[in-house]
């Protein structure tokens, strides 16, 4: 697989990464054996960027990833996140970005992952009570201590990104980006490109919706958070199916799956973008990785733009958008 650079500090990863969240939580029942097999297969296929966070599980996803990479740490660009605080029972305890918490969270993640350093350490969400300069300053101390190689932000807006980057170089911004979530094209992508920051696209398959897997809300597995996602509900669901139908028609002409076409579109938006489709099954992983070989012509890209123009998706990305730093 081709590689892409994130930022200007030397972080280079395979063009497609792997989001590990669903292996432990949010997307229905977990299967640890299949998750470990999927992680193993990802490394075989040349995936290098593995994305986790302390809040996934909570805490169990980092341990899972740590088990998977034991003995082959050098083959992985390991990314994790802090800031969304959760208790051991899963309760949500707000967002923290204060210096003491940054240091404590990093040490806890290192222990769970079983590693001596994190390649890419993200602030998962912006703490509006703490200046971003304090948070990134603390993250920079982790770099100085050798615990972290590169710094990242997640779901941060242009002003926050600029202020953070002025404290310490930011290697990557991670934010949702796909054919049905294109709002970053307005101000966020231009900002990171101006500053030389890479972009990591999470949910590049629209949380699986763009694959055509869901014919109705009844297809959402029990215990899956998508059942409460506005885009998967009622009239929004039906309106969004129209996007999927159009993408599916284009995929059929191309001889690819709808998911592969959606991933190829994200990859084609710039060589500074690394999508991290999440999956917990080997079959879906293999389908996703094959998208890296799908080359789109200018006419095909134009057809996809027309099929899913910016703002076409019905419904908010989350049930509560208030914590998002826009």
């Amino acid at each position: 697989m081709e590689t892409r650079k994130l930022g200007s500090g030397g972080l280079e990863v395979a063009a497609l990464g792997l989001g590990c969240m669903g292996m432990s939580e949010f997307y229905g029942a977990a299967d640890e054996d299949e998750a470990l097999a999927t992680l193993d297969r990802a490394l075989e296929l040349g995936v290098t960027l593995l994305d986790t966070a302390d809040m996934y599980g909570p805490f169990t996803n980092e341990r899972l990833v740590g088990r998977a990479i034991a003995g082959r740490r050098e083959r992985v660009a390991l990314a994790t996140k802090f800031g969304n605080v959760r208790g051991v029972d899963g309760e949500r305890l707000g967002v923290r970005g204060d210096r003491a918490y940054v240091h404590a969270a990093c040490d806890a993640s290192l222990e769970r992952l079983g590693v001596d350093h994190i390649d890419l350490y993200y602030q998962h969400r912006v703490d509006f009570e703490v200046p971003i300069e304090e948070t990134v300053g603390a993250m920079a101390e982790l770099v100085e201590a050798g615990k972290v190689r590169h710094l990242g932000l997640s779901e941060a807006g242009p002003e926050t990104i600029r202020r953070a980057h002025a404290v310490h170089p930011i290697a990557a911004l991670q934010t949702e980006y796909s054919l049905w979530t294109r709002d970053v094209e307005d101000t966020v992508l231009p900002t990171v490109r101006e500053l030389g920051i890479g972009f990591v696209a999470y949910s590049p398959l629209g949380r699986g919706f763009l694959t055509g897997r869901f014919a109705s809300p009844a297809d959402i597995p029990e215990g899956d958070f998508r059942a409460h996602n506005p885009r998967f509900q009622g009239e929004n669901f039906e309106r969004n199916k129209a996007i999927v139908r159009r993408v599916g028609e284009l995929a059929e002409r191309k001889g690819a799956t709808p998911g592969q076409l959606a991933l190829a579109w994200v990859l084609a938006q710039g060589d500074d973008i690394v999508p991290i489709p999440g999956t917990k099954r080997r079959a879906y992983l293999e389908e996703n990785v094959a998208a890296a070989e799908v080359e789109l012509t200018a006419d095909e890209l134009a057809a996809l733009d027309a099929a899913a123009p910016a703002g076409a998706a019905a419904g908010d990305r989350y049930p509560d958008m208030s914590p998002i730093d826009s």
Side-chain angles (χ1 to χ4, degrees), residues 164-185:
H165 194 64
V167 175
H168 187 280
I170 301 298
L173 174 76
Q174 180 177 142
T175 295
E176 185 172 350
Y177 188 36
S178 70
L179 274 169
W180 79 345
T181 300
R182 300 181 57 176
D183 46 301
V184 296
E185 293 173 349

Side-chain angles (χ1 to χ4, degrees), residues 59-141:
F59 314 121
T60 56
N61 195 247
E62 287 185 325
R63 295 190 182 99
L64 177 75
V65 172
R67 285 176 57 195
I69 66 173
R72 45 189 175 178
R73 173 69 179 90
E74 72 286 349
R75 296 170 57 183
V76 174
L78 185 59
T80 191
K81 314 176 198 74
F82 72 92
N84 279 326
V85 188
R86 297 183 70 185
V88 292
D89 295 324
E91 63 271 30
R92 295 178 180 270
L93 304 174
V95 175
R96 285 185 63 179
D98 56 279
R99 181 180 180 276
Y101 185 78
V102 172
H103 281 267
C106 180
D107 288 343
S109 287
L110 288 169
E111 182 176 359
R112 285 188 292 266
L113 290 161
V115 298
D116 62 4
H117 73 276
I118 296 161
D119 295 297
L120 179 56
Y121 198 41
Y122 292 101
Q123 181 186 22
H124 207 162
R125 290 294 185 272
V126 177
D127 182 350
F128 300 117
E129 303 300 318
V130 176
I132 191 65
E133 290 81 2
E134 177 181 337
T135 302
V136 177
M139 295 168 73
E141 292 171 354

